[in-house]
Amino acid sequence: MKNSSKLSRFIPMIDWIKNYSSGHFKGDLNAGITVGIMLIPQGMAYAVLAGLPPIYGLYASIVPLILYAIFGTSRQLAVGPVAMVSLLVVAGVGEIAEVGSDRFIQLAIMTAMGVGVFQLLMGLFRMGFLVNFLSHPVLSGFTSAAALIIGASQFKNLLGIDLPRTNYVHEILMGVFEKAAIIDPYTSAIGIGAIVLIIMIRKWKPTFPSALVVVVLGTLVTAGFGLDQQGVAIVGEIPRGLPSLEIFSFNLGDFQQLLPTILVISLVGYMESIAVAKAIANKHGYKVDPNQELVGLGVANIGGAFFQSYPTTGGFSRTAVNDQAGAQTGMASIISAAIIGLTVLLLTPLFYYLPMAVLASIIIVAVAGLFDAAEMKYLWKTDRKDLAMLATTFVATLALGIEEGILVGVVLSLIVVIYSSSKPHSTELGRLGETRNFRNIQRYPKAKTDRKVLIYRFDSALFFANVTHFQDRLDELIAARGDDLELVILDASSIHDIDSTGIHVLRDFIEDLQDKGIELYIAGAIGPVRDKLKTCDIIQEMGIKNFFFDVHDAVTTFYSEKNQHPDYEYSPLQTNS
């Protein structure tokens, strides 16, 4: 049993397969067929978005799904091609090779291998925390801008006009405006009609395979009326057969050029996947392991690369459909992969007359949900600082480019983290009436203070990044008291750690107070902090009598030793809380 438990940590499939039942299979079968049918047109559309032939979208929907079902911890996550990753592939790989060329295809597959290796290593070394540097506002700003870029990139297929390949929305719109007179009427009618039909079907029944409906109708109309002879671009011949195992040669120079794209796809893909996986897991009352999710996605991408897959991750819309259709375990993904496998074996000739405009419509409707207007409205009401981060990332992505936009977002996130760490919340405390409670004088105006005693709370670890702020705030408060001040009480209950720099600053502060004839009491210090203060001899230098369980004990001791009473006539310095 112990060996089985250890093995299931690395192969989560063992946990659900040993308790598998006919009830599970019924839900998995329904979900697997539903998502498989949905993934056929979606996979081809996303491959086109990535600059690849449509068949590679189907290849990316077979092996990665099976491998994630074995190694992933989410029971409902639907892995496969997604719009965001497809855009990153065409943006990154397209800078190295001509889009659609054999070399481009080879590099896209190499990118999947690189993403898989990076995610696997992150998972094995438990480095999932790295994605915390992509804050939600930054990711929202990036995805909202990417939604516009993705949607605009499909105008050429939607309208039947030749536009330059670019990731700048304004250039695409200018091209559309210049060529408005030569928009193909048949192509635009099919594309816009498909968008309207998909939206109508989704409003009627969200789980119904609306994309497949427009694929079937678009193919029948194009073939029946010979619209391919009237200028409507079609998919054409799609190779039949399962993807073959291919061992491609590794080129260090290519890998170095692809590395920025690999890193961005690894982090963004994981963020998209873990967000939806956690949401679904919470709904069903189980937990996903973030680091094992990295392992699962990494193995899926590595295995997929050997079978001609470009990078994949968990998708929002497919996962929602998978859950609504009744998925209970990873078996649903395996069934979806089987559906795709049968399609590439037997049904690819049926897609010969599929209009490119239909694939464009599928992409446009899919990415419309990525534009996060709701988050923008929410941040406008609740946090303008985060809204500014979102807006900056959004504008940077549109103006500078995909990878540059996400880099700006990461740098912004780091700046906010550093700034917040260097200026943590701290405040002067006052006593509430005759109680034992001491609170922030800014939030509790009736809290009383004494001119002889300064009670200061610092709400963070005391370390190299914030010691200057700690010193400056105390100097400001002490200077405001003038010669009346006799005691400083440091409420250390919120200081959960202190580093060597913090120790040095605290020792300097103690010496400075001694020179001024002011005592220092430390109240509420937690165990790990007391241990460090003891190790560096501060407790010995101050004396154990200057350490107290809480602020009330410290205040009571001071007045009893001085045989004095509090003087609450002092008007505290008004500082930001």
Side-chain angles (χ1 to χ4, degrees), residues 271-467:
M271 282 287 286
E272 182 171 348
S273 182
I274 195 66
V276 68
K278 281 185 174 181
I280 297 294
N282 290 338
K283 175 183 172 183
H284 290 278
Y286 69 92
K287 291 189 177 296
V288 293
D289 181 343
N291 290 301
Q292 184 60 35
E293 283 298 288
L294 278 166
V295 171
L297 292 172
V299 171
N301 276 297
I302 292 171
F306 283 115
F307 290 91
Q308 304 178 60
S309 167
Y310 76 98
T312 56
T313 193
F316 286 110
S317 59
R318 283 197 305 276
T319 300
V321 170
N322 200 35
D323 179 45
Q324 291 169 9
Q328 301 292 313
T329 69
M331 183 62 71
S333 290
I334 295 173
I335 293 169
S336 294
I339 297 291
I340 307 296
L342 288 173
T343 299
V344 299
L345 273 175
L346 306 172
L347 305 179
T348 52
L350 298 179
F351 298 109
Y352 183 89
Y353 288 101
L354 172 60
M356 296 295 291
V358 168
L359 295 181
S361 70
I362 293 170
I363 292 170
I364 290 171
V365 174
V367 301
L370 291 177
F371 190 86
D372 203 350
E375 180 69 8
M376 297 176 191
K377 292 179 182 176
Y378 174 75
L379 292 179
W380 175 262
K381 294 179 181 178
T382 60
D383 196 329
R384 300 286 176 87
K385 179 184 70 177
D386 277 357
L387 179 62
M389 288 178 62
L390 186 155
T392 303
T393 308
F394 178 82
V395 172
T397 304
L398 288 179
L400 303 177
I402 304 297
E403 293 178 359
E404 292 82 358
I406 198 68
L407 178 62
V408 167
V410 170
V411 171
L412 268 178
S413 296
L414 288 172
I415 289 172
V416 169
V417 168
I418 293 169
Y419 181 81
S420 299
S421 298
S422 66
K423 294 185 179 294
H425 179 268
S426 61
T427 186
E428 181 180 354
L429 303 181
R431 185 174 184 173
L432 295 180
E434 300 302 318
T435 70
R436 298 175 60 96
N437 299 318
F438 292 80
R439 294 292 185 268
N440 183 342
I441 61 174
Q442 301 297 320
R443 295 184 181 275
Y444 295 85
K446 293 184 179 180
K448 296 179 291 186
T449 58
D450 179 2
R451 66 176 69 247
K452 296 187 294 292
V453 179
L454 168 64
I455 307 171
Y456 176 72
R457 191 184 73 213
F458 192 71
D459 295 333
S460 171
L462 185 60
F463 69 116
F464 67 93
N466 61 30
V467 291

Side-chain angles (χ1 to χ4, degrees), residues 58-71:
L58 299 181
Y59 290 164
S61 305
I62 301 175
V63 173
L65 274 70
I66 297 171
L67 290 176
Y68 177 81
I70 296 171
F71 292 96

Side-chain angles (χ1 to χ4, degrees), residues 219-234:
T219 303
L220 291 175
V221 169
T222 303
F225 291 96
L227 296 181
D228 58 310
Q229 303 299 320
Q230 305 296 321
V232 174
I234 59 174

Side-chain angles (χ1 to χ4, degrees), residues 39 41 49 79 93 134 201 206 218 235 294 326 340 390 439 458 463 474 478 509 526 546 551:
L39 193 47
L49 173 61
V79 170
V93 181
L134 278 175
I201 292 174
V235 168
L294 278 166
I340 307 296
L390 186 155
R439 294 292 185 268
F458 192 71
F463 69 116
L474 274 170
I478 290 170
F509 179 63
I526 63 173
N546 284 28
V551 172

